Amino acid sequence: MNQNWSGGALDMGSQGHSILVGSREKGRKYGSGPLQMCQSVLPCHANYQGELGAGQLLKWMDTIACLAAERHAGTACVTASMDDIRFEETVRVGQVINIKARVNRAFNTSMEVGIYVMVQEVLSGVMKRVCAAFSTFVVKPRGTQKVTLKPVDVHGSVEEMLEHSLASERRRLRLYNEEAFKNLMMDYYNLQDKGLWNRKAIVPLISTELTRVESIELVLPPHANHHGNTFGGQIMAWMENVATLAASRLCSQFPSLRAVDMFQFRGPSSVGDRLVFKAMVNNAFQTSVEVGVRVEAYNCEKWSEGTPRHINSAFMIYYIPVESERQTFPDVTFTTHDGERRFLGAVVRKRIRMARKHILYSRDEGSISVPWGRNNQVYLGYNNVAALLVLAGKQGWEANNITDKVEVYVHEEADLLCLRVDMEVRTSAFNAFSLLNDLRLRPCWDKHYLSCEEVEKGDEEETVYHVKCGTIHGGKHRDFVFLLSKRQPCKDGDPYVIALRSVTVATVPPDENCIRSEAKCAGFLIHEISYPTCKVSYYNQVTSGVLPYVEGNLAGWSKSMEETAMSCISFLEQDLLTTMF
């Protein structure tokens, strides 16, 4: 893990009124509770529009996070990274910022600090959530002495216990991130070679090189923290400044910072260093744009030798404010090999951000199953098939991975994530339909299906099944109760349809040994291509119950969907060979 030697410190000089308090909940030691910082937003903290500058907020967030980390560790700590920052609310002059920080979980020599920011309207007292972020801190070494952090007391609220559990998941994603990024970059280079990322635009594309911004800062004593190194929050604020300039050069407006992929600190800097900030737009995605920022430090004694140290990097996501006349960014292109790497890297990071959002922030959407009965089977069957056809008809599917026989696509709209897997199978469409519409055969090719039993048969086209699936990260198995609706083509060119959705039946109550899970819309569309070849397309509208089985593919550390698809193809083609011979 890369380490930053610039942990935060409470800066009271000309920063407005600051109140720092610690939790004294009953039965809890002072040193184990959250810390809170209250700041009144003054004009000196605001931008030209009277809004709190993101850089100033990042300073305060780094300050309180470092103090929480050091209180838990009992010694000096430094920031390794800050990630998962999503700004949800605009803060204006006259409002009050409340920042809470607590150590969510401690690992041997590192810990995760959760930072939660709220804004309060003074006159009405209304509180709104501004953002949340997660910082990784490590103990600052003293000579050769090794410090092992004490565990975090989790005998607190339900919220604290949940964050303690999720901290290990976030750490797992961080550790996988580098490997996943490399794997996905290879996939997207393959997609580019197939022409799937060549943008077609009516207007000329803008080169990302035109957005390049470079700035230099001299580190002075006021910029140092209580360790004598450059204050990490100050570096973040400088980075935000140059990133905003780069984004504004692309849209010729004042963009709004909405998210930070990750601030990653790689090394220390100190008073007297010259810090060079380099920012450039990496890629634009219609309503958002990613700006990459790199920070290099030059020692004052070696300034003329040109030997920089890479000390920090970050990727910031900007949007155009709602009140602006133009709501989309222009299309961009690259003109250098490095620009191509940045361009595709932004696509990969967008996918990883999407995966992190759904994996880490997905919540139980409530029951989505509907009661099954013979009196409503026609209605349920119609809606089951219609939902699958509507899902298949969505525009804007993005290719994630394409091989000779399997193509994987994703579609995200607001918080709704959908997956599509296209398979080319050397068998007739009718044969594939006959095998896939009997869900009891699915354990033969899908490793996630442990068993499948027929519960009730409505008619020739509607059947209810009880499916038991394996566990992913330990714990209990999951089970589903599916209504399967199958339809043959009404005319040439129509697909065979196999639609699935969760239902409830009295004969299959929840089992305490399994986690009852649900699927809202899933299934297969099968198109005849030319005998004996067909195209089998699998769709799934991802729910919290389905997410554990596809999150590896989303985040880039697994190819389980491709593997399952190849197994399905082998099953369908092997059955044809058996029939022929």
Side-chain angles (χ1 to χ4, degrees), residues 6-10 62-63 66-67 70 75-77 140 223-231:
S6 51
L10 184 59
D62 188 56
T63 295
C66 182
L67 295 176
E70 291 185 339
T75 186
C77 295
K140 186 177 181 180
H223 304 140
N225 59 22
H226 55 306
H227 303 317
N229 299 119
T230 312
F231 173 35

Side-chain angles (χ1 to χ4, degrees), residues 17-31:
H17 300 291
S18 175
I19 302 175
L20 186 64
V21 297
S23 173
R24 292 183 181 272
E25 298 176 15
K26 183 177 180 181
R28 169 181 283 176
K29 295 181 179 179
Y30 172 78

Side-chain angles (χ1 to χ4, degrees), residues 500-524:
L500 297 166
R501 70 151 302 147
S502 288
V503 294
T504 56
V505 291
T507 55
V508 188
D511 185 350
E512 63 179 9
N513 297 318
C514 291
I515 301 174
R516 175 58 53 88
S517 300
E518 298 173 306
K520 190 173 184 179
C521 179
F524 299 89

Side-chain angles (χ1 to χ4, degrees), residues 200-232:
K200 297 180 180 179
I202 299 176
V203 297
L205 300 178
I206 298 176
S207 172
T208 56
E209 293 293 330
L210 298 177
T211 66
R212 186 183 295 274
V213 175
E214 186 169 317
S215 178
I216 187 169
E217 298 286 350
L218 173 63
V219 180
L220 300 175
H223 304 140
N225 59 22
H226 55 306
H227 303 317
N229 299 119
T230 312
F231 173 35

Side-chain angles (χ1 to χ4, degrees), residues 353-574:
R353 284 193 298 271
M354 176 193 71
R356 290 177 67 88
K357 181 180 75 173
H358 288 278
I359 293 172
L360 298 176
Y361 300 104
S362 66
R363 295 292 183 265
D364 188 359
E365 53 271 286
S367 178
I368 55 179
S369 296
V370 292
W372 157 261
R374 294 186 179 276
N375 58 333
N376 68 346
Q377 70 178 40
V378 175
Y379 170 79
L380 288 181
Y382 167 80
N383 279 275
N384 196 13
V385 172
L388 180 61
L389 294 175
V390 169
L391 175 58
K394 285 183 178 293
Q395 300 297 314
W397 289 91
E398 296 184 3
N400 271 357
N401 190 26
I402 292 181
T403 61
D404 292 338
K405 286 193 171 185
V406 178
E407 302 178 0
V408 180
Y409 299 84
V410 298
H411 185 284
E412 187 181 32
E413 186 176 351
D415 291 330
L416 181 63
L417 177 66
C418 304
L419 298 173
R420 183 181 105 206
V421 182
D422 290 345
M423 296 168 278
E424 184 178 325
V425 186
R426 191 174 178 273
T427 189
S428 67
F430 178 77
N431 184 64
F433 173 71
S434 301
L435 293 172
L436 293 176
N437 70 41
D438 186 350
L439 216 57
R440 292 171 297 182
L441 298 178
R442 188 153 173 175
C444 297
W445 56 269
D446 191 339
K447 64 180 180 181
H448 298 308
Y449 274 53
L450 299 181
S451 64
C452 183
E453 299 177 356
E454 183 178 309
V455 175
E456 187 173 343
K457 196 173 185 65
D459 54 29
E460 290 300 318
E461 294 186 323
E462 264 73 46
T463 309
V464 178
Y465 292 93
H466 181 213
V467 176
K468 291 186 178 180
C469 294
T471 181
I472 300 298
H473 302 303
K476 295 182 178 180
H477 297 291
R478 292 178 179 267
D479 70 334
F480 299 80
V481 178
F482 286 138
L483 166 64
L484 183 146
S485 304
K486 59 182 179 180
R487 301 287 189 273
Q488 296 197 39
C490 295
K491 60 181 180 179
D492 291 343
D494 285 354
Y496 291 87
V497 180
I498 303 171
L500 297 166
R501 70 151 302 147
S502 288
V503 294
T504 56
V505 291
T507 55
V508 188
D511 185 350
E512 63 179 9
N513 297 318
C514 291
I515 301 174
R516 175 58 53 88
S517 300
E518 298 173 306
K520 190 173 184 179
C521 179
F524 299 89
L525 295 185
I526 306 169
H527 290 83
E528 190 80 59
I529 299 178
S530 59
Y531 186 82
T533 303
C534 67
K535 177 183 177 182
V536 178
S537 297
Y538 172 74
Y539 297 86
N540 199 308
Q541 183 176 313
V542 179
T543 61
S544 59
V546 175
L547 184 61
Y549 299 101
V550 299
E551 65 179 26
N553 272 82
L554 292 175
W557 68 71
S558 169
K559 295 289 186 184
S560 62
M561 290 176 60
E562 289 87 345
E563 293 169 358
T564 303
M566 290 302 299
S567 179
C568 178
I569 292 171
S570 298
F571 171 74
L572 296 177
E573 293 181 343
Q574 182 62 39

Side-chain angles (χ1 to χ4, degrees), residues 140-209:
K140 186 177 181 180
R142 294 180 177 177
T144 58
Q145 182 182 5
K146 185 177 180 180
V147 178
T148 301
L149 293 169
K150 61 183 178 182
V152 175
D153 179 14
V154 292
H155 301 293
S157 65
V158 174
E159 179 187 359
E160 291 180 5
M161 296 175 69
L162 175 62
E163 291 297 348
H164 181 269
S165 299
L166 291 177
S168 61
E169 286 298 297
R170 286 187 286 264
R171 182 172 184 262
R172 182 169 65 92
L173 291 181
R174 293 185 194 105
L175 295 176
Y176 274 123
N177 188 70
E178 185 174 352
E179 179 182 356
F181 181 82
K182 292 180 180 178
N183 293 337
L184 291 177
M185 281 293 284
M186 294 178 62
D187 290 343
Y188 281 96
Y189 271 117
N190 181 44
L191 293 177
Q192 190 187 50
D193 292 340
K194 294 177 181 292
L196 296 174
W197 287 107
N198 293 332
R199 295 199 172 191
K200 297 180 180 179
I202 299 176
V203 297
L205 300 178
I206 298 176
S207 172
T208 56
E209 293 293 330

